[in-house]
């Protein structure tokens, strides 16, 4: 019987060794375990990766195999914010797929072609490859473009780039054999743009059920990563001795993560004379375009119990989260979240067996569903402070019960072994 082969095109795909996006790596790793051959085509540079691909002066494309998954990295320019350079990076990537299409065909003969970049412009190339190879075409939706730049970035629907992306989104819904959505409540929007109901399926983000112990981390991480891990663990252990209670956020530091709101909530807690736990700290782990702004804001407010840590490799995040008492996740208020959310960091939190405060106004509420903490209105500083206080004063056995609820929920509903199988069952049927 011929091995089934999957081509996954995702501009921002990464791995546990490179950083986000993790989803393509985790799905592909499970598919390889099931006997499938998988090739991921990704850009050499992504603003959300911790480690990007090093090309020499002559290299334009690099092939490598990572944990059984074939990767083809296409060289693209670096950029540090949205704008012309990022747009040029997109065009470079799309042109690179066309330019190296014959190289792709030597690596894989797909019967499934997945267009999975955040933006939908890769759908045309994926459709072309699917037709040439007589393969099924799958469109995977992470965010709704061009709705995201319109509603969050306040771009005009008549901007040439937005109109181009809108045409691509409409094309994707009309021509894809199946549409996989990370957003649970996006069907109505998609139907308005040409999707048939029976083509839609929701598959959220998830977690790899592997608890990397220190020996595994030592074997998998680079020397540079190990240095960061060791230094920051020492610093975290010092904080654990200094403070009775540690609250943490771990993830990207972008404006959309509502981190100013939680910092303001920490200030409120610091000023609560009736709070029984006075000796607490808030730790932020990660990188992002907004990190320096947050550091400057904390300094300007003279807040002494907030600490910033560098991003740590995915394989070590559970080790860091296990040292915390309570975890925070938040998003700014946005009409986009009427379609639902599926944040990776939330599943990492659950897997770490910790209670959670979520400041998210969305159509779905995973924290309440899992009964593992408190969900409050996005950007509501008073509500965030109140929720943190409610959990901080709970007895330890109650905090552990919430943590157990989180863990049981995520392994039963968001294991990538389950999600990867559901993905294939839907696509191949």
């Amino acid at each position: 019987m011929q091995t089934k082969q999957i081509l996954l095109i995702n501009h921002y795909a990464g791995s546990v060794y490179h950083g986000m996006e993790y989803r393509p790596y985790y799905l592909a790793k499970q598919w390889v375990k099931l006997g499938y051959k998988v090739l991921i085509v990704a850009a050499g540079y992504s603003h959300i990766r911790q480690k990007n691909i090093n090309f020499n002066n002559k290299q334009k494309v690099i092939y490598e195999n990572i944990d059984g998954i074939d990767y083809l990295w296409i060289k693209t320019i670096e950029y540090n914010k949205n704008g012309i350079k990022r747009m040029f990076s997109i065009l470079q990537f799309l042109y690179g797929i066309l330019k190296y299409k014959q190289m792709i065909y030597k690596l894989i003969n797909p019967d499934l072609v997945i267009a999975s970049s955040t933006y939908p412009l890769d759908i045309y190339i994926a459709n072309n490859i699917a037709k040439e190879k007589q393969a099924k075409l799958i469109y995977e939706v992470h965010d709704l473009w061009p709705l995201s730049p319109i509603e969050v970035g306040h771009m005009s629907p008549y901007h040439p780039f937005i109109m181009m992306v809108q045409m691509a989104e409409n094309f994707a819904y009309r021509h894809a054999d199946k549409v996989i959505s990370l957003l649970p409540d996006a069907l109505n929007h998609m139907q308005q743009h040409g999707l048939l109901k029976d083509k839609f399926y929701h598959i959220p983000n998830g977690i790899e059920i592997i608890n990397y112990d220190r020996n595994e981390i030592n074997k998998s991480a680079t020397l540079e990563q190990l240095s960061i891990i060791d230094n920051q663990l020492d610093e975290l252990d010092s904080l654990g001795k200094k403070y009775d209670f540690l609250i943490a956020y771990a993830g990207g530091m972008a404006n959309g993560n509502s981190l100013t709101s939680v910092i303001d909530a920490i200030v409120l807690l610091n000023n609560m004379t009736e709070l029984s736990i006075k000796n607490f700290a808030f730790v932020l782990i990660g990188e992002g375009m907004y990190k320096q702004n947050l550091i400057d804001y904390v300094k300007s407010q003279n807040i002494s119990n907030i600490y910033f840590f560098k991003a740590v490799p995915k394989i070590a995040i559970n080790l860091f989260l296990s040292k915390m008492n309570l975890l925070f996740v938040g998003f700014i208020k946005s009409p986009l979240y009427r379609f639902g959310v599926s944040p990776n960091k939330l599943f990492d939190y659950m897997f770490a067996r910790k209670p959670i405060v979520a400041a998210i106004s969305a159509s779905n509420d995973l924290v309440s569903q899992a009964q593992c903490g408190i969900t409050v209105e996005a950007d509501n500083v008073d509500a965030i402070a109140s929720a943190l206080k409610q959990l901080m004063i709970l007895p330890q056995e109650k905090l552990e019960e919430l943590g157990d609820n989180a863990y049981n929920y995520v392994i039963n509903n968001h294991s990538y072994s389950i999600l990867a199988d559901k993905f294939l069952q839907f696509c191949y049927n």
Side-chain angles (χ1 to χ4, degrees), residues 245 318 321-322 324-327 346-357 366-367 369-374 391 394-412:
F245 200 94
N318 192 266
L321 295 180
S322 68
M324 308 301 174
N325 301 98
L326 175 60
L327 302 171
L346 181 57
F347 305 123
D348 287 333
Y349 290 2
M350 290 179 173
F351 189 61
R353 267 194 159 100
K354 297 297 172 181
I356 299 162
V357 168
L366 293 163
V367 169
Q369 226 173 304
Q371 298 182 346
C372 65
I374 300 173
L391 294 183
L394 287 179
Q396 181 60 30
E397 58 267 24
K398 184 60 180 175
L399 292 175
E400 289 176 3
E401 180 184 324
L402 293 172
D404 288 342
N405 289 346
Y407 179 80
N408 292 331
Y409 178 83
V410 79
I411 63 168
N412 289 327

Side-chain angles (χ1 to χ4, degrees), residues 313-342:
K314 182 77 166 178
I315 55 175
I317 192 62
N318 192 266
L319 181 60
F320 279 76
L321 295 180
S322 68
K323 295 178 179 292
M324 308 301 174
N325 301 98
L326 175 60
L327 302 171
F328 171 82
V329 59
F331 291 141
I332 59 171
K333 271 189 181 177
S334 170
L336 274 178
Y337 301 137
R338 66 188 181 275
F339 303 109
V341 294
S342 187

Side-chain angles (χ1 to χ4, degrees), residues 133-307:
K133 292 296 180 179
Q134 297 183 320
K136 281 192 173 183
L137 175 65
I138 311 302
Y139 178 46
E140 185 179 46
V141 179
H142 297 243
D143 297 315
L144 291 172
W145 276 51
L147 204 58
S148 292
I150 291 171
E151 293 192 353
V152 177
H154 307 295
M155 292 182 72
S156 167
Y158 304 105
H159 187 285
F161 174 72
I162 294 296
M163 293 175 71
M164 179 173 64
V165 174
Q166 186 62 72
M167 289 174 62
E169 184 191 31
N170 295 346
F171 181 92
Y173 296 143
R174 290 196 308 269
H175 290 83
D177 293 296
K178 301 288 176 72
V179 172
I180 303 286
S181 173
L182 278 75
L183 310 174
D185 299 310
L187 176 59
N188 186 53
H189 167 84
M190 294 176 177
Q191 286 180 303
Q192 291 173 15
H193 291 273
L195 181 68
L196 298 177
K197 184 178 180 179
D198 61 357
K199 288 185 177 182
F200 174 89
Y201 194 50
H202 164 56
I203 298 182
N205 277 320
I207 195 80
E208 186 179 38
I209 309 300
I210 295 178
N211 195 358
Y212 290 96
D213 61 21
R214 193 55 213 251
N215 288 334
E216 286 293 324
I217 293 169
N218 289 344
K219 284 190 289 184
S220 302
T222 64
L223 290 176
E224 181 184 0
Q225 288 174 329
L226 286 173
S227 176
I228 292 171
I229 291 168
D230 289 336
N231 290 337
Q232 297 203 139
L233 280 176
D234 287 343
E235 189 177 344
L236 194 55
D237 287 339
S238 297
L239 290 182
K241 294 172 183 174
K242 182 177 179 181
Y243 294 98
D244 300 325
F245 200 94
L246 295 179
I247 306 167
Y249 167 86
M253 296 191 196
N255 189 39
N257 296 117
S258 196
L259 295 174
T260 304
S261 294
V262 70
I263 288 170
D264 289 341
I266 296 297
V267 173
L268 285 182
L269 289 174
N270 287 340
N271 294 328
M272 284 184 184
T273 55
E274 75 277 14
L275 187 64
S276 59
I277 297 177
K278 293 299 294 179
N279 195 25
F280 72 94
F282 182 47
V283 178
L284 296 98
I285 304 170
E287 302 296 336
M289 296 180 187
Y290 201 58
K291 184 173 183 177
Q292 189 57 51
N293 299 50
L294 294 170
I295 292 171
D296 294 341
Y297 183 66
V298 168
K299 285 180 180 177
S300 72
Q301 299 292 309
N302 293 315
I303 310 168
S304 61
N305 61 336
I306 294 182
Y307 298 85

